[in-house]
Amino acid sequence: MLLTIDCGNTNTVFAVWDGTTFVASWRRATNAHCTADEYYAWLRTSMNLRDIDVTIRECVISSTVPRVVFNLRVLCDRYFDTRPLVVGKPDCALPVPPRVDAGTTVGPDRLVNTAGAFDRHGGDLIVVDFGTATTFDVVDHDGAYVGGAIAPGVNLSLEALHMAAAALPHVDITQPQRVVGTNTVACMQSGIFWGYVGLIKELSARIRAERDRPMKVIATGGLAPLFQQAESLFDAFEDDLTMHGLTVIHEFNKDFT
């Protein structure tokens, strides 16, 4: 069994891949101080609660939080007796290397999303990931990551409004019934929701125009379905795109070596 680990700025997802499908997955808050022993105790308890008995033989990690990687490596080595493959490290080969400015470091999450999206949808893609940041990844015809855009995440924007303006409350993101709000909460929800609809439409249109070719828009992340309800923004939604990309990269490295 393969243990895939996706560590983001807010949450870390663990999933078990049997070669055909994901047997189970778990999500926890990202904590740079969590030890390997704590990870294992939590993961083993989570497996027992769902009556899952598997033997982990391989591990692959993607992390946007560098400080977490060491303890995840120790987890894999100490408890699963395997050296994990870490996306972005020199010993991790990519199906197609990114084509960006020399010296640029591409986030592992963007490399993984690119690999997963290309495997499922082919090339000429715009991958929109609703995470702590809202990222737009441009995938070339051959599967190479060639750049993109980064905007503040939806929840981050809401939190910034709440923290920076004393009179503005913390609100949940939802599709408002009207664009013109008649109270503070409705105004904030309208600004965030329709503002992000406009952001997605405009950036996608400008990327297509700059690339001068048809491009599919693939969405991932928990808030994507909410925005899709209002407008036909995406050609497809993949809730497990990042985890799938980890399996693609892991399989490529097995064949590569």
Side-chain angles (χ1 to χ4, degrees), residues 24-179:
S25 65
W26 303 270
R27 181 183 299 267
R28 62 173 291 155
T30 297
N31 179 0
H33 303 292
C34 187
T35 67
D37 300 331
E38 290 173 318
Y39 277 126
Y40 180 74
W42 168 80
L43 189 58
R44 178 52 59 190
T45 300
S46 299
M47 289 182 177
N48 290 341
L49 287 173
R50 294 179 58 175
D51 196 26
I52 295 173
D53 184 18
V54 297
T55 300
I56 304 298
R57 301 192 181 279
E58 298 172 293
C59 300
V60 58
I61 300 169
S62 168
S63 178
T64 58
V65 185
R67 289 186 300 166
V68 174
V69 174
F70 175 77
N71 284 328
L72 290 175
R73 281 182 179 272
V74 175
L75 166 72
C76 299
D77 179 64
R78 179 180 297 167
Y79 289 103
F80 304 125
D81 193 27
T82 183
R83 184 173 185 268
L85 182 69
V86 181
V87 178
K89 298 299 183 182
D91 61 344
C92 177
L94 298 172
V96 184
R99 291 194 287 271
V100 293
D101 293 344
T104 299
T105 300
V106 181
D109 55 332
R110 310 187 82 173
L111 298 174
V112 170
N113 282 347
T114 294
F118 181 72
D119 184 68
R120 286 181 170 171
H121 300 280
D124 290 326
L125 306 174
I126 303 168
V127 181
V128 184
D129 189 350
F130 292 86
T132 304
T134 300
T135 58
F136 294 73
D137 301 327
V138 179
V139 184
D140 209 347
H141 66 94
D142 61 350
Y145 171 86
V146 292
I150 303 175
V154 178
N155 288 317
L156 189 63
S157 295
L158 280 170
E159 189 66 24
L161 277 176
H162 171 61
M163 295 296 291
L168 297 181
H170 187 281
V171 300
D172 294 328
I173 181 65
T174 186
Q175 181 179 346
Q177 294 181 346
R178 299 164 55 91
V179 176

Side-chain angles (χ1 to χ4, degrees), residues 1-3 16-19 21 23 53-59:
M1 295 284 188
L2 171 67
L3 178 64
V16 178
W17 174 256
D18 68 0
T21 187
V23 176
D53 184 18
V54 297
T55 300
I56 304 298
R57 301 192 181 279
E58 298 172 293
C59 300

Side-chain angles (χ1 to χ4, degrees), residues 180-222:
V180 179
T182 53
N183 58 68
T184 302
V185 170
C187 288
M188 292 175 66
Q189 289 176 332
S190 178
I192 291 292
F193 184 86
W194 293 112
Y196 269 87
V197 168
L199 171 76
I200 296 161
K201 292 175 69 174
E202 184 68 13
L203 271 176
S204 297
R206 286 181 175 273
I207 290 171
R208 286 192 180 104
E210 190 170 289
R211 300 286 292 170
D212 192 24
R213 68 190 68 177
M215 302 184 75
K216 292 181 180 178
V217 181
I218 312 300
T220 189

